């Protein structure tokens, strides 16, 4: 009789365990879903760990596979969990920080000294500063003034052509990805962050959040109407017609990360995504409605550039990841303002990879991707990711543009994130994570 009771007890325990076992819906052995889980605001850490370990049981590690970033993320955030084992969200951190500021009702000040590191990462006797810069925006009339968005460092402003810098967002905890400055009132600035869109009307002294709360990687103010703002967000393309007071989701899409305008016709706009699959959209009515273009090859990450030298030219780089070793799907050119495209090049040289000689390389296009067209000579285009490449025939052929080109005779930093020409003097600026 005891044996029967013991057997029944074992069965009941097993059934109870099966009923209460929490299945992990994120385990996909053929896709690195753990990359997306790192961006989820309240992810369960152990589910992310399980998805990561399960994926690498059937995959080989490669350079830039983001496993190092995952381990860093996991180590840091494992100490930032709530009572349910979920990561405390950035929104909650921001809310508590602002509550604390209001409660203290005092200015944040004190006698602070910079003890270092002052010179970060010197290499071969060359000074190398540190810091991830995502975007650069220029003042509409003053060539000496521009702004850089620096992820977790916030928004910085220079008024002396980059010699000195002042932080504008020390009162915010949000990560800063992009800013857009009004052409008619430079004191009005919009900010794209991991928690949505912020706005200042006093040059950055104070910031107010808008109703947009999802991650925003791209911003564009319509050239002929500064009350119309277009935003590239996690959920798609949002549009405001009243200076950012209210917003409408005009196009659903996954992770819109690039917005551009026709250099002459402000009604024609372009957008691309950093999702799976990568998508290209065109608007002919100032962003009110959008049309998707399906002529591109299979990719995940797209970037768009235009040139005032030939306003109807649209340049698109299309990259892919987790689809094999080749990360460069193709470079495309439109000569009719984004209606049709022709593939100029692809695969080789692999301008998105790690190799200087352009052999096929996976690269990490999910993180670094840029394309930039010369405003004076539309034949000249710069593009790439880990490293930078230059074309003088609108993307048909490419030359490695990376080594021995800085003023001190050294190389550009790796991981290029955005390039832009100043509208005042046509100097090109390269921003990266170094």
């Amino acid at each position: 009789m005891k044996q029967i009771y013991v057997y029944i007890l074992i069965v009941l325990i097993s059934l109870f365990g099966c009923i209460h076992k929490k299945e992990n819906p994120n385990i996909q052995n053929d896709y690195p879903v753990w990359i997306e889980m790192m961006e989820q605001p309240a992810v369960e850490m152990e589910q992310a760990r399980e998805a990561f370990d399960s994926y690498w049981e059937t995959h080989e590690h490669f350079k830039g596979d983001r496993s190092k970033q995952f381990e860093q993320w996991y180590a840091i955030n494992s100490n930032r969990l709530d009572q349910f084992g979920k990561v405390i969200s950035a929104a909650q951190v921001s809310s508590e920080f602002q509550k604390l500021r209001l409660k203290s009702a005092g200015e944040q000040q004190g006698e602070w000294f910079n003890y270092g590191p002052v010179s970060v990462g010197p290499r071969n006797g060359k000074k190398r500063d540190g810091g991830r810069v995502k975007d650069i925006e220029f003042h509409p009339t003053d060539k000496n003034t521009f702004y850089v968005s620096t992820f977790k460092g916030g928004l910085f402003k220079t008024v002396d052509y980059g010699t000195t810098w002042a932080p504008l967002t020390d009162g915010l905890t949000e990560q800063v990805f992009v800013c857009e400055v009004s052409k008619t009132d430079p004191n009005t600035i919009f900010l794209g962050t991991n928690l949505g869109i912020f706005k200042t009307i006093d040059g950055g002294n104070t910031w107010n959040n808008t109703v947009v709360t999802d991650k925003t990687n791209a911003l564009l103010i319509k050239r002929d109407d500064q009350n119309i703002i277009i935003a590239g967000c996690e959920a798609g393309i949002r549009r405001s017609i009243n200076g950012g007071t209210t917003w409408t989701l005009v196009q659903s899409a996954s992770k819109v990360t690039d917005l551009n305008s026709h250099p002459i016709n402000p009604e024609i706009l372009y957008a691309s995504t950093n999702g799976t699959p990568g998508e290209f959209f065109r608007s002919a009515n100032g962003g009110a409605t959008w049309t998707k273009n399906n002529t591109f090859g299979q990719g995940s990450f797209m970037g768009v550039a235009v040139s005032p030298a030939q306003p109807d030219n649209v340049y698109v780089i299309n990259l892919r990841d987790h689809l094999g070793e080749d990360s460069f799907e193709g470079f495309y050119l439109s000569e009719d303002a984004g209606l049709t495209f022709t593939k100029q090049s692809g695969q080789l040289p692999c301008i998105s990879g790690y190799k200087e000689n352009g052999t096929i390389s996976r690269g990490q296009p999910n993180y670094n991707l840029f394309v930039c067209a010369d405003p004076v000579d539309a034949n000249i285009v710069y593009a790439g990711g880990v490293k930078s490449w230059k074309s003088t025939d609108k993307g048909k052929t490419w030359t490695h543009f990376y080594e021995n080109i800085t003023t001190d005779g050294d190389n550009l930093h790796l991981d290029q994130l955005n390039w832009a020409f100043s509208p005042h003097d046509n100097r090109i600026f390269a921003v990266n994570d170094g």
Side-chain angles (χ1 to χ4, degrees):
M1 184 65 69
K2 284 185 178 180
Q3 291 178 337
I4 295 176
Y5 285 138
V6 170
Y7 176 76
I8 293 174
L9 181 62
I10 291 173
V11 171
L12 288 174
I13 292 173
S14 300
L15 288 173
F16 182 83
C18 291
I19 292 172
H20 285 79
K21 182 180 179 182
K22 194 167 187 178
E23 296 296 331
N24 186 352
N26 297 300
I27 291 183
Q28 301 179 26
N29 290 330
D30 59 340
Y31 181 78
V33 69
W34 46 270
I35 293 179
E36 297 175 357
M37 295 177 74
M38 288 191 289
E39 299 179 357
Q40 295 174 5
V43 65
E44 293 189 19
M45 290 297 289
E46 291 314 307
Q47 283 199 358
R49 176 86 258 178
E50 189 179 0
F52 177 85
D53 292 340
S54 177
Y55 177 83
W56 288 116
E57 285 179 359
T58 57
H59 291 77
E60 294 290 331
H61 283 282
F62 59 91
K63 186 176 180 180
D65 62 15
R66 300 202 73 184
S67 59
K68 180 174 68 173
Q69 286 85 348
F70 176 88
E71 296 292 3
Q72 293 170 342
W73 171 85
Y74 184 82
I76 293 172
N77 288 287
S78 291
N79 296 316
R80 299 176 177 175
L81 305 180
D82 61 17
Q83 64 269 37
F84 304 107
K86 294 184 177 181
V87 176
I88 297 174
S89 69
Q92 184 178 348
V93 172
S94 177
S95 176
E96 295 300 324
F97 174 71
Q98 298 304 335
K99 288 179 183 178
L100 181 63
R101 293 187 69 200
L102 290 173
K103 185 177 181 180
S104 63
E107 295 184 3
Q108 296 175 319
Q109 58 184 342
E111 294 186 12
W112 292 90
F113 301 91
N114 183 10
Y115 279 94
V118 177
S119 181
V120 180
R123 184 174 68 253
N124 299 327
K126 304 291 185 181
K127 181 178 181 293
R128 289 291 176 270
D129 291 329
R132 296 196 303 161
V133 183
K134 180 68 173 65
D135 182 71
I136 184 168
E137 176 71 12
F138 301 96
H139 190 280
T141 58
D142 182 3
K143 77 170 186 177
N144 293 310
T145 299
F146 43 91
Y147 310 78
V148 292
S149 303
T150 65
F151 286 102
K152 296 184 179 181
L155 183 69
F156 285 81
K157 176 183 179 181
T158 179
V159 296
D160 53 16
Y161 214 86
T163 301
T164 60
W165 296 87
L168 299 184
T169 55
D170 278 356
L172 301 178
T173 64
E174 284 73 15
Q175 300 178 31
V176 177
F177 304 129
V178 65
C179 85
E180 184 79 352
V181 182
S182 170
K183 300 297 186 292
T184 57
D185 179 14
N187 285 320
T188 298
I189 305 172
F190 291 89
L191 207 63
T193 77
N194 62 319
L195 296 180
I197 300 173
F198 288 75
K199 178 183 179 181
T200 179
I201 58 175
D202 56 15
N205 292 322
T206 58
W207 294 89
N208 295 307
N209 58 331
T210 66
V211 295
V212 178
T213 58
D214 58 333
K215 186 176 180 181
T216 303
N217 268 298
L219 289 167
L220 187 150
I221 300 177
K222 195 164 180 282
R223 188 182 306 108
D224 62 337
D225 188 342
Q226 298 291 285
N227 286 313
I228 297 180
I229 301 98
I230 314 297
C233 302
E234 198 80 354
I237 303 172
R238 300 185 187 275
R239 185 175 188 257
S240 173
I241 60 174
N242 51 17
T245 301
T246 60
W247 297 78
T248 302
L249 183 65
V250 292
Q251 176 65 55
S252 296
S254 177
K255 301 178 182 178
V256 178
T257 55
D258 206 355
L259 291 168
N260 238 305
S261 174
H262 189 282
I264 295 177
N265 186 348
E267 298 302 315
I268 300 177
L269 306 176
Y270 315 106
S272 65
T273 72
N274 194 337
T276 302
E279 296 178 306
F280 175 88
F281 297 92
R282 180 184 188 271
S283 173
N285 53 12
T289 60
W290 296 78
T291 301
K292 180 181 174 181
N293 189 309
N294 292 305
T295 61
F296 302 95
Q298 184 181 16
S300 302
F301 316 102
M302 304 183 82
V304 184
V306 296
S307 172
Q310 289 187 9
D312 285 341
N313 279 10
V314 186
Y315 310 85
V316 173
I317 185 172
N318 189 28
L319 306 183
R320 54 192 177 195
D321 202 2
H322 318 306
L323 295 172
E325 291 299 312
D326 176 23
S327 58
F328 180 38
E329 191 283 322
F331 189 88
Y332 294 79
L333 171 67
S334 171
E335 296 180 309
D336 55 10
L339 292 174
T340 62
F341 283 87
T342 301
K343 188 172 183 178
Q344 300 287 88
S345 57
Q347 192 175 39
L348 292 173
C350 186
I351 65 174
S352 55
Y354 292 100
K355 306 297 185 181
E356 289 87 349
N357 60 6
T359 54
I360 289 180
S361 174
R362 193 159 193 164
Q364 46 188 35
N366 58 318
Y367 173 60
N368 41 36
L369 176 160
F370 82 96
V371 57
C372 179
D374 191 292
V376 178
D377 185 348
N379 293 301
I380 299 177
V381 188
Y382 303 89
V386 179
K387 295 181 172 66
S388 50
W389 293 74
K390 178 180 180 180
S391 173
T392 58
D393 53 12
K394 300 180 180 180
K396 293 180 180 179
T397 60
W398 297 91
T399 302
H400 190 231
F401 189 77
Y402 160 72
E403 296 174 326
N404 303 318
I405 59 174
T406 66
T407 54
D408 59 7
D410 207 57
N411 306 333
L412 279 181
H413 187 83
L414 301 179
D415 299 336
Q416 298 299 316
L417 302 178
N418 191 20
W419 284 28
F421 280 88
S422 167
H424 306 295
D425 55 17
N426 285 336
R427 283 194 175 185
I428 190 170
F429 289 75
V431 301
N432 50 64
D433 73 357

